Amino acid sequence: MNLAPLTQRFVLHFGEMGSRWGINRTVGQIYALLYVSPRALNADDIGEALAFSRSNVSMGLKELQSWNLVRLQHLPNDRREYFQAPEDVWAIFRTLAEERRKREIDPTLSMLRDALMEQPANQDDIHAQARMKQMHDLIELMTGWLADVQKMDSATLIKLMKMGAKVQKLLEIKDKVTGSVKAGLTGRAASNTVAEQPDDNRS
């Protein structure tokens, strides 16, 4: 199985980038190959295309399966296992976000919650807990947002991403409207209070 020049460039680049994302070069290249392949591939296909040993391919596929980034398939009259990446790129994004949350964010949140429950021993601990509380609140806010994103279908997610700076403008409009409503209610309450006060000059 020979790779076309364009595919080869993509696979090699993905392998190099993989190390920056926390995966090794082999896993990155295997995933890149599966992602652009028009059909499911077995371990022999992958090893031949990338010049990897069978053991390296096997370990790489197990790693990708642990991340839920590849689907296992079986073909009629073929005992070999075939692998394919999800076709929906947004499904891949959601899977990556969920797996990184479980592996990296949840343990940090757990540690921060435990630390915030402890009784500070001195002024330095009080300062440290205050800083940890800020980090805890930020991470919880982010994970809450990601949880909401996870529930969206791909079409809705695309619309949200395309809104970009429009979201900020909408929030600014909302704040102005909310401020105006609060000012109006405050003014009305003040007027009602004045109207309800007794007139001492009345005979």
Side-chain angles (χ1 to χ4, degrees), residues 168-180:
Q168 181 179 351
K169 293 180 180 178
L170 287 173
L171 291 175
E172 290 173 354
I173 293 172
K174 179 188 78 70
D175 290 341
K176 289 179 181 178
V177 171
T178 302
S180 298

Side-chain angles (χ1 to χ4, degrees), residues 14 18-24 26-28 30-31 34 58-72 83-86 88-107 150:
F14 216 87
S19 60
R20 304 181 188 184
W21 299 334
I23 60 176
N24 65 44
T26 299
V27 175
I30 291 174
Y31 188 72
L34 292 173
S58 178
M59 287 189 293
L61 289 171
K62 286 180 180 177
E63 177 72 11
L64 291 171
Q65 285 180 288
S66 74
W67 280 83
N68 293 316
L69 287 173
V70 293
R71 294 196 303 262
L72 175 63
F83 300 88
Q84 192 168 35
D88 185 355
V89 69
W90 292 103
I92 297 171
F93 167 77
R94 286 191 290 268
T95 299
L96 278 172
E98 176 65 15
E99 289 298 323
R100 293 196 80 95
R101 181 189 64 78
K102 290 190 295 186
R103 295 163 184 253
E104 300 169 18
I105 297 176
D106 285 356
Q150 292 286 78

Side-chain angles (χ1 to χ4, degrees), residues 8 24 37 39 49 58 69-70 74 80 98-99 101 103 108 112 115 121 129 149 181:
Q8 188 174 49
N24 65 44
S37 176
R39 59 183 179 84
S58 178
L69 287 173
V70 293
H74 289 92
R80 293 174 296 181
E98 176 65 15
E99 289 298 323
R101 181 189 64 78
R103 295 163 184 253
T108 301
L112 288 170
Q129 277 192 329
V149 169
V181 171

Side-chain angles (χ1 to χ4, degrees), residues 46-59:
I46 297 169
E48 179 185 350
L50 301 178
F52 290 165
S53 68
R54 182 62 182 267
S55 60
N56 281 344
V57 172
S58 178
M59 287 189 293

Side-chain angles (χ1 to χ4, degrees), residues 1-4 6-8 10-11 28-42 45-46 49-50 70-71 73 82-88 92:
M1 179 180 178
N2 295 321
L3 298 182
L6 182 62
T7 299
Q8 188 174 49
F10 176 74
V11 168
Q29 289 191 13
I30 291 174
Y31 188 72
L33 177 63
L34 292 173
Y35 179 76
V36 297
S37 176
R39 59 183 179 84
L41 303 176
N42 59 47
D45 295 331
I46 297 169
L50 301 178
V70 293
R71 294 196 303 262
Q73 298 180 11
Y82 286 79
F83 300 88
Q84 192 168 35
E87 295 181 2
D88 185 355
I92 297 171

